Amino acid sequence: MNRISTESNMRRDEILKRLKENISKGKAIVGVAVGSGSAARYAEEGGADFILILNAGIFRSAGIPSIASYLPFKSSNEMVMNTGETEIIPRVKKIPVIFGVCATDPLLNHDYFFTRIKRIGFTGVINYPTVCLIDGQYRQYLEETGLGFENEVNFMREASRAGLVTIAYVHDVQDAEAMAKVDVDILCINFGFTVGGKSGIKYGFTLQQAAEKAQQIFTAASRIKPDIIKLVYGGPITYPNDFQYIVETTDAQGYVGGSAIERIPVESSISETTSRFKSIYMLQKENIYLKQELAKKQGFDKIIGNSKVMQELYDLIVKVTETDVNVLITGETGTGKDLVARAIHLHSNRRNGPFITVNCAALPLTLLESELFGYEKGAFTGALQRKLGRFELAQGGTLFLDEIGEMELPLQAKLLRVIQEKEFERIGGLKTIHSDVRIISATNRDLQKTIEEKKFREDLYYRLNVVEIRVPPLRERKDDIPALVSYFVKNINEKFGFDIERISPSAFQVLLEYDWPGNVRELKNVLEHAAVLSNKRSIELKDLPLYLQKYSNTALDRMSEIAELENHKPEIQDTNNKEFYQKLLAKNRWNITKTAQELKISRKTLYKKLKELGLK
């Protein structure tokens, strides 16, 4: 038995404590498998929780498919150790580095190995390459000759006793149960080599199949070790939205990315991609948690979003509630201006008073005047009894004037008087009534332009607009879409008695990419439409309205390729500038890779453009 290292155990305990604290806060655990120092540095900058050095990563960095990691070659462990010592550990400053060890190596001396890797600076181990990804007769022979998965299980038991963090790759329930029994710290379901890319596996099982398998494995392992950390890796998980689906449908607490982070995107975008894998989980978990807390404290239960612009909006709402100033809420139709108005009221010192709403666009001049100020019996034909207006009903509270830009000029003058003098009379009445009302107004129009057109009083504008709050359109806060979708789907299930549990990756991608001119209201209506047409358990691309179905992944890819070219720099905004491409290619001696890098676009995009221009 290996002697336990007290110092290593302390380091291990600190790492596991930090990971579990992040999980308790609703954050994803993200590990990145790399094969080069620069990749490790980018991943750390992107927020990775730990780095894994696998021989597959080393092959990827040399331009060789990851599958080569399973071919015979000179000591896998020595190659990983040398790369880690010379390239990775010197460049990774703040997060653990995990050794991808070939635990089935019959010549591996465990005691010597543990001492050596700890001295170099590794803080944990993972079993890779692993026998669990091998099937058929060859796997049977390995197991029969004592070179199989049991060796990896025994290795993990000893690594744990040596004070190392243990991450176990498993492929099925039996693998998971075996690893849980030897008390590994982290379980990572390896679905196989990542699908996608030029050198990736071309065929694999679906995300739904992966999710079903993952949940079976997690359930089995958790029965043996309830606090085991549960991660997923590879297979059909290629993009952050794929991981989002796994999170929504399983107990997964994080992701380990190799090819999906290092091979498929260009290396310079590793930090961005790692951040997206972390943030997609937080949008589903942490954002909902934060919104629930905000709802408890500030009455923001209906306003969903944790993006930067929404956090700024929350801060501004809190600030304006500290005083009784009039507020003008601006923003496009469907952004939720009425929800902001209600939040201001609920958090103000008038919260115990009434919140009264008037839609200024819904009533003609005469009716709107009587709605606002009320009337006395006999004031006009049909006035059979006294009616209190909205100003009286809102006494001690808040009056919300929605679509204020539609109010006609004669009534604007009367509203101005109420704001200035704090008093008014009912139509047909002589008694002056004191007004104790806070006014919040909203519009989707450009009131400055309306003032220039002599359709809105400038003095009224400044009375209403002591503080302006702009509600951002949904296209400016797409990070909030996952949380909004979750919120609306939950409401749809409750409203219609449905049991929708998932949205397919293709449909979800459309929701993320579409610009939503109708904003949050349009998103809500689209989801209700899709839910009604769905099988009541999942929403697929075919369930979305026809105008959204055109935003398929193929169409989105094409749009992004065009955008890459059109937005690169001024001299190539004309995408049919054949002469420009000829000169640039000649300068780079017709080196496609170098030309694409200079344009900051993909080789695929450049090839398509050259073909369109007749240059290929």
Side-chain angles (χ1 to χ4, degrees):
M1 183 181 297
N2 295 325
R3 184 176 63 185
I4 298 177
S5 167
T6 303
E7 182 179 352
S8 296
N9 275 341
M10 288 178 62
R11 174 72 169 140
R12 175 194 182 198
D13 292 344
E14 291 169 1
I15 293 169
L16 295 176
K17 180 182 178 183
R18 184 169 70 248
L19 295 179
K20 290 178 180 179
E21 284 177 350
N22 285 341
I23 291 171
S24 69
K25 295 175 182 177
K27 297 181 180 179
I29 301 303
V30 175
V32 181
V34 303
S36 69
S38 57
R41 179 166 57 85
Y42 289 132
E44 184 178 31
E45 289 176 1
D49 294 285
F50 56 83
I51 298 295
L52 305 94
I53 309 176
L54 310 182
N55 64 337
I58 298 171
F59 281 120
R60 283 195 301 271
S61 67
I64 302 169
S66 300
I67 191 69
S69 62
Y70 273 76
L71 293 176
F73 61 92
K74 187 176 180 180
S75 183
S76 165
N77 292 326
E78 284 299 318
M79 184 170 72
V80 171
M81 193 171 299
N82 290 338
T83 302
E85 184 173 14
T86 59
E87 293 189 37
I88 311 294
I89 291 176
R91 300 192 186 188
V92 175
K93 306 299 182 184
K94 300 178 181 178
I95 58 177
V97 179
I98 309 298
F99 191 113
V101 58
C102 179
T104 54
D105 181 354
L107 301 178
L108 186 64
N109 182 310
H110 292 180
D111 288 335
Y112 174 72
F113 175 78
F114 295 144
T115 301
R116 187 177 174 192
I117 67 169
K118 285 190 288 186
R119 185 175 65 248
I120 291 172
F122 292 96
T123 53
V125 292
I126 186 168
N127 52 321
Y128 191 90
T130 172
V131 172
C132 74
L133 292 185
I134 301 172
D135 55 18
Q137 196 171 42
Y138 180 53
R139 169 71 180 270
Q140 180 183 339
Y141 289 156
L142 287 172
E143 299 293 351
E144 290 175 355
T145 53
L147 299 174
F149 191 71
E150 187 177 348
N151 262 11
E152 298 178 28
V153 174
N154 291 334
F155 177 86
M156 285 297 180
R157 179 191 290 112
E158 295 183 15
S160 181
R161 291 171 178 170
L164 290 162
V165 175
T166 50
I167 305 177
Y169 272 146
V170 299
H171 193 60
D172 56 30
V173 169
Q174 290 73 28
D175 297 342
E177 289 176 336
M179 285 296 187
K181 287 176 182 176
V182 298
D183 203 33
V184 294
D185 303 309
I186 302 171
L187 192 76
C188 185
I189 300 175
N190 193 324
F191 292 118
F193 292 96
T194 302
V195 177
K198 290 185 177 180
S199 58
I201 303 300
K202 303 303 178 186
Y203 303 99
F205 46 91
T206 66
L207 272 173
Q208 183 175 356
Q209 290 170 326
E212 291 170 356
K213 179 177 181 178
Q215 191 54 41
Q216 291 174 357
I217 294 173
F218 287 148
T219 300
S222 295
R223 278 197 294 262
I224 298 170
K225 185 178 181 181
D227 66 339
I228 198 167
I229 296 173
K230 298 175 282 290
L231 312 180
V232 291
Y233 173 91
I237 306 175
T238 307
Y239 301 106
N241 289 332
D242 302 333
F243 175 52
Q244 167 77 6
Y245 172 66
I246 295 293
V247 166
E248 290 178 342
T249 54
T250 76
D251 294 333
Q253 296 166 320
Y255 172 79
V256 171
S259 296
I261 291 179
E262 188 180 36
R263 173 173 59 79
I264 294 175
V266 296
E267 193 165 85
S268 62
S269 68
I270 287 176
S271 59
E272 176 186 351
T273 307
T274 305
S275 295
R276 289 179 65 201
F277 272 105
K278 287 184 71 68
S279 65
I280 202 75
Y281 184 97
M282 287 188 287
L283 289 171
Q284 176 66 20
K285 302 293 184 183
E286 184 179 21
N287 183 40
I288 293 176
Y289 168 78
L290 289 173
K291 287 309 302 153
Q292 290 171 342
E293 291 303 305
L294 283 171
K296 294 175 186 176
K297 297 177 181 178
Q298 301 169 337
F300 296 159
D301 55 313
K302 302 291 185 180
I303 307 175
I304 307 300
N306 196 40
S307 59
K308 182 180 178 182
V309 291
M310 292 302 289
Q311 289 297 323
E312 292 171 351
L313 177 65
Y314 300 143
D315 290 342
L316 188 52
I317 289 173
V318 172
K319 288 177 181 177
V320 300
T321 57
E322 295 171 355
T323 61
D324 232 8
V325 299
N326 294 335
V327 177
L328 176 64
I329 304 171
T330 60
E332 298 175 7
T333 298
T335 52
K337 297 185 290 295
D338 56 328
L339 299 179
V340 173
R342 187 173 293 274
I344 294 172
H345 169 74
L346 291 175
H347 198 57
S348 72
N349 57 9
R350 292 178 176 266
R351 68 178 69 88
N352 295 322
F355 178 79
I356 304 297
T357 298
V358 180
N359 189 327
C360 300
L363 298 169
L365 174 62
T366 53
L367 289 181
L368 181 56
E369 183 178 2
S370 63
E371 279 296 315
L372 287 174
F373 305 120
Y375 53 81
E376 296 289 353
K377 180 180 178 180
F380 51 82
T381 303
L384 303 179
Q385 59 184 8
R386 173 189 290 175
K387 177 181 177 180
L388 302 184
R390 300 299 177 94
F391 267 99
E392 278 185 89
L393 294 174
Q395 290 282 48
T398 302
L399 179 63
F400 175 45
L401 302 176
D402 199 8
E403 303 297 347
I404 188 67
E406 307 304 318
M407 183 179 286
E408 297 183 45
L409 282 169
L411 192 53
Q412 290 179 29
K414 295 182 179 181
L415 176 60
L416 178 63
R417 181 205 166 205
V418 178
I419 296 173
Q420 289 176 330
E421 307 297 333
K422 298 289 185 182
E423 58 187 31
F424 64 95
E425 293 84 30
R426 300 188 194 103
I427 298 174
L430 299 175
K431 179 183 177 181
T432 298
I433 301 168
H434 175 70
S435 173
D436 177 23
V437 172
R438 180 188 195 169
I439 296 178
I440 300 175
S441 50
T443 182
N444 60 9
R445 300 184 66 176
D446 182 348
L447 290 187
Q448 292 281 11
K449 183 177 179 181
T450 310
I451 291 170
E452 293 173 3
E453 296 170 349
K454 307 298 183 183
K455 295 180 180 179
F456 201 86
R457 294 180 63 110
E458 187 173 14
D459 47 2
L460 176 60
Y461 170 77
Y462 289 114
R463 287 288 186 176
L464 294 172
N465 187 18
V466 177
V467 175
E468 179 179 345
I469 295 180
R470 175 182 176 269
V471 184
L474 188 52
R475 63 180 174 274
E476 291 182 11
R477 57 183 190 103
K478 288 189 175 182
D479 284 353
D480 293 327
I481 288 177
L484 286 163
V485 169
S486 296
Y487 176 80
F488 288 137
V489 167
K490 179 182 177 183
N491 288 349
I492 288 167
N493 284 338
E494 293 174 354
K495 179 179 179 181
F496 298 110
F498 294 166
D499 191 24
I500 295 171
E501 298 177 343
R502 66 178 289 269
I503 297 179
S504 71
S506 57
F508 199 82
Q509 185 67 26
V510 170
L511 300 182
L512 288 173
E513 295 290 345
Y514 183 59
D515 273 344
W516 300 107
N519 295 294
V520 178
R521 185 181 298 145
E522 183 185 9
L523 174 62
K524 178 177 182 255
N525 292 339
V526 162
L527 288 171
E528 287 194 355
H529 168 101
V532 170
L533 298 183
S534 72
N535 60 11
K536 311 304 181 282
R537 295 189 65 84
S538 66
I539 293 176
E540 308 293 334
L541 181 62
K542 63 181 176 59
D543 301 322
L544 298 179
L546 290 176
Y547 74 94
L548 278 179
Q549 289 184 31
K550 70 179 182 179
Y551 284 83
S552 64
N553 287 335
T554 302
L556 289 169
D557 288 344
R558 179 61 183 150
M559 290 164 60
S560 64
E561 289 166 6
I562 293 172
E564 281 181 339
L565 286 166
E566 290 181 339
N567 300 325
H568 173 58
K569 49 175 135 179
E571 62 264 33
I572 62 166
Q573 283 183 358
D574 178 4
T575 58
N576 294 316
N577 191 337
K578 184 175 181 178
E579 184 180 357
F580 170 82
Y581 289 97
Q582 286 176 322
K583 289 181 179 179
L584 191 60
L585 286 165
K587 186 187 82 170
N588 292 320
R589 299 183 179 180
W590 288 83
N591 185 312
I592 298 296
T593 299
K594 189 174 181 181
T595 303
Q597 289 174 346
E598 185 170 338
L599 289 171
K600 297 181 180 177
I601 61 176
S602 66
R603 285 168 52 92
K604 179 181 175 182
T605 300
L606 181 57
Y607 266 120
K608 284 188 176 182
K609 192 63 205 174
L610 296 179
K611 189 174 181 180
E612 290 173 5
L613 296 175
L615 295 175
K616 281 299 284 185

